[in-house]
Amino acid sequence: MADSGMTGRGVKRSVNVLLQCEWGSCSYVASKMEEFCAHVSDHLGARQLRTGEENMDCEAFLADEFCCLWQDCGFFSLDSQLELFRHVYFHCYHTKLKQLGLQALQSQPDLIPCQLDTQSRNMIPELQESFICMWDQCESTFDNAEWYYRHVDSHGLSTEYEVAGKENRVLMCGWKDCDCSCKSRCKLREHLRSHTQEKVVSCPNCGGMFSNNTKFYDHLRRQTSLDQHRFQCTHCSKRFATERLLRDHMRNHVNHYKCPLCDMTCPLPSTLRTHIRFRHSDERPYKCQHCEYSCKNLVDLRKHLDTHSKLPAYCCEYEDCSFTARSLCSVKAHYRKVHEGDSAPRYKCHICEKCFTRGNNLTVHLRKKHHFKWPSGHPRFRYKEHDDGFLRLQLVRYESVELTEQLMKEREKQGVPLDEAPTCLVLGQGAGAGSDGVDYERTGGERTTDCWQNDQLLSKDIASEQRI
């Protein structure tokens, strides 16, 4: 059972909000998290008692005991009742964040409320394991996210200042393998959220969670009409309402992390974790109750379960087509086979101008006709939409200076000559057009790899790559 009795320190934690229970048809409302979590514990406690009933139908048990009854959720646990409890307590935490989001929205009358679909308002992240505090000599575990975040915050509140230099005093982060120091307690508490991934506000309409109010407001500003999106990304052509949103977006084009098992580079730790799970791990923890199928994430399992339904779950969206199927892949295959020819080709080869209706057909063309190779560690080509509406091969990949230096050092250790290393361009404030007619974007000191040169797509270790 989750730790429902713990309270935390910190004034901002005890904010009064209206917390409404959405378990089934329950309409209970509380003003404090302690009361709210205690109430939800009663729902879970009543459910736990049912596990002792005799002659209980096994299928009904699985369908009911491990299924979340929170409105618009639909989650069910495949592993244990404890996983369900952890999930439901996160709904409590999420409910508080949505109320904080509502208060933040009401304080900004110039912002238009979120216009996205409300069906996702109670969709929360997968929580496969308990929350563990990695503060030095602590390692307390929690199944309630609210108590976990309060507990970690208490470390930030109780940490003592240490002397750094002659006059400076700093607060050291005690998290495992972290040597960060902060000048103020506020900064330390904010830093700790980078370890716990704690969010502080959620959109009351769509349920999206954010690490600060500014990002929540950005979420709303992004939904303004397209004619107000005056700032365009030169890398992918997306438009944004403010210059700061554009800058934040462009950081996502710069790779900072490298896979330890291959040459794949990516911009975010979450992208790297997903890559390792799908490309380098054979574990398939999600198993179907009806057949031998297993997969690596809950989304794929839910898609698979649709194939066991007697009713068609998907239908073709093409006008006047009545085709239906129990799986999304079947509908997509039908669309490609029957309707794809009716669509105008949108993919164009930048070498010979030949057009294709599908991206994978252009990929085959580039590899066989023009002898392109996939960048090392990257499983596919990427295509960019141009001003004329056609999608052409993305010729540039951005990597941070730090990551490029790391890759260079690894090649030096492996004895790879520098002239076989990737072709890179250091972009300064005055960077303009690159060689061979390629326009390189200004990125404030980042480097680019996979540059276009002499009709070849250069990538890391291109000379040693095998043609796929």
Side-chain angles (χ1 to χ4, degrees):
M1 194 71 176
D3 314 84
S4 57
M6 178 180 171
T7 59
R9 299 172 60 184
V11 176
K12 71 184 182 76
R13 303 284 181 171
S14 58
V15 62
N16 288 327
V17 289
L18 294 179
L19 306 166
Q20 181 172 346
C21 178
E22 297 188 62
W23 183 267
S25 58
C26 182
S27 57
Y28 173 85
V29 177
S31 60
K32 296 182 178 180
M33 281 298 290
E34 290 80 4
E35 299 171 356
F36 190 49
C37 290
H39 167 79
V40 172
S41 293
D42 291 340
H43 286 303
L44 296 175
R47 164 159 295 207
Q48 191 176 33
L49 290 175
R50 293 193 57 211
T51 61
E53 295 181 10
E54 296 182 358
N55 301 322
M56 188 173 187
D57 180 76
C58 180
E59 186 173 348
F61 171 79
L62 288 174
D64 184 48
E65 288 301 318
F66 294 160
C67 180
C68 176
L69 300 184
W70 210 267
Q71 293 178 24
D72 298 324
C73 178
F75 169 84
F76 64 93
S77 170
L78 297 176
D79 297 328
S80 68
Q81 203 166 37
L82 186 59
E83 183 183 22
L84 173 65
F85 291 174
R86 190 159 50 244
H87 169 88
V88 174
Y89 282 127
F90 201 92
H91 274 303
C92 297
Y93 167 67
H94 190 221
T95 298
K96 183 193 76 169
L97 296 192
K98 286 187 291 185
Q99 284 297 305
L100 295 177
L102 181 60
Q103 292 179 0
L105 180 60
Q106 292 171 345
S107 70
Q108 301 288 326
D110 60 316
L111 286 178
I112 300 176
C114 176
Q115 305 296 310
L116 300 182
D117 195 334
T118 61
Q119 291 184 351
S120 64
R121 67 185 183 89
N122 282 335
M123 300 296 288
I124 60 177
E126 296 179 25
L127 306 170
Q128 299 177 355
E129 298 177 352
S130 297
F131 299 98
I132 304 176
C133 177
M134 301 302 292
W135 193 268
D136 185 35
Q137 297 182 347
C138 182
E139 297 189 359
S140 299
T141 60
F142 301 85
D143 292 310
N144 187 318
E146 176 73 12
W147 308 151
Y148 168 63
Y149 296 134
R150 290 191 185 192
H151 167 83
V152 174
D153 191 47
S154 70
H155 285 303
L157 287 165
S158 60
T159 300
E160 299 293 337
Y161 279 93
E162 298 182 14
V163 177
K166 293 183 178 180
E167 299 180 356
N168 295 329
R169 297 169 67 243
V170 297
L171 294 164
M172 299 299 298
C173 175
W175 206 263
K176 182 179 180 182
D177 299 327
C178 180
D179 55 3
C180 177
S181 62
C182 302
K183 293 184 178 180
S184 69
R185 199 170 298 281
C186 178
K187 289 294 183 181
L188 175 60
R189 295 168 71 189
E190 182 180 340
H191 164 75
L192 285 174
R193 294 193 201 111
S194 68
H195 293 302
T196 63
Q197 301 301 305
E198 179 187 4
K199 309 300 180 184
V200 301
V201 66
S202 182
C203 177
N205 183 70
C206 70
M209 295 188 294
F210 307 93
S211 57
N212 54 54
N213 281 355
T214 301
K215 292 187 177 180
F216 171 46
Y217 299 149
D218 289 344
H219 162 73
L220 302 176
R221 292 189 179 101
R222 288 190 182 98
Q223 299 173 44
T224 57
S225 57
L226 290 178
D227 58 355
Q228 298 181 39
H229 289 198
R230 299 182 294 107
F231 301 90
Q232 185 175 20
C233 175
T234 54
H235 191 65
C236 68
S237 300
K238 287 185 178 180
R239 292 181 176 273
F240 300 88
T242 67
E243 186 176 4
R244 187 175 55 77
L245 284 177
L246 172 61
R247 288 199 305 269
D248 290 344
H249 161 80
M250 292 194 71
R251 292 191 185 99
N252 293 327
H253 288 309
V254 180
N255 294 338
H256 294 275
Y257 303 91
K258 177 187 176 297
C259 176
L261 303 173
C262 71
D263 280 341
M264 196 280 296
T265 56
C266 57
L268 299 171
S270 57
T271 308
L272 180 57
R273 288 194 296 269
T274 300
H275 163 79
I276 292 175
R277 184 168 74 238
F278 281 92
R279 295 288 174 183
H280 302 297
S281 172
D282 295 327
E283 294 184 9
R284 295 174 174 268
Y286 296 90
K287 304 183 185 301
C288 177
Q289 302 172 14
H290 309 288
C291 67
E292 296 181 353
Y293 175 85
S294 61
C295 55
K296 296 184 177 183
N297 64 17
L298 189 58
V299 174
D300 287 344
L301 178 60
R302 287 175 174 171
K303 290 179 181 178
H304 166 78
L305 289 175
D306 289 335
T307 65
H308 291 293
S309 172
K310 296 180 180 180
L311 299 175
Y314 301 93
C315 60
C316 178
E317 296 181 354
Y318 197 81
E319 186 177 2
D320 297 329
C321 181
S322 59
F323 179 83
T324 60
R326 289 198 298 267
S327 68
L328 181 60
C329 61
S330 297
V331 173
K332 288 184 176 180
H334 155 81
Y335 186 89
R336 288 195 299 265
K337 183 177 180 180
V338 178
H339 305 300
E340 192 84 337
D342 299 334
S343 303
R346 294 194 60 220
Y347 292 86
K348 178 177 283 191
C349 175
H350 64 289
I351 303 297
C352 65
E353 299 293 311
K354 187 173 182 179
C355 297
F356 302 86
T357 57
R358 297 168 57 192
N360 63 327
N361 289 339
L362 176 54
T363 295
V364 172
H365 168 80
L366 289 170
R367 288 173 51 209
K368 293 188 175 181
K369 179 69 175 179
H370 302 296
H371 308 294
F372 277 72
K373 294 180 174 67
W374 282 329
S376 178
H378 293 260
R380 62 188 176 91
F381 292 142
R382 296 182 182 274
Y383 298 99
K384 171 184 175 181
E385 185 173 0
H386 289 248
D387 293 337
D388 58 4
F390 284 101
L391 291 153
R392 295 180 177 86
L393 181 64
Q394 180 67 267
L395 300 174
V396 177
R397 187 173 77 235
Y398 295 94
E399 292 177 344
S400 67
V401 173
E402 293 81 3
L403 179 58
T404 303
E405 291 174 348
Q406 175 190 340
L407 295 172
M408 289 295 195
K409 290 179 181 178
E410 290 181 1
R411 282 170 173 76
E412 288 180 4
K413 291 180 180 179
Q414 296 169 2
V416 178
L418 291 180
D419 57 358
E420 294 183 17
T423 298
C424 299
L425 177 67
V426 180
L427 300 175
Q429 292 300 316
S435 61
D436 302 304
V438 180
D439 291 328
Y440 297 105
E441 328 297 349
R442 283 191 293 178
T443 59
E446 279 117 11
R447 295 183 177 181
T448 62
T449 60
D450 296 349
C451 303
W452 181 253
Q453 188 176 21
N454 298 326
D455 292 341
Q456 290 295 329
L457 183 67
L458 298 180
S459 63
K460 295 183 291 294
D461 290 335
I462 194 69
S464 62
E465 275 192 322
Q466 297 295 321
R467 187 174 299 177
I468 301 174

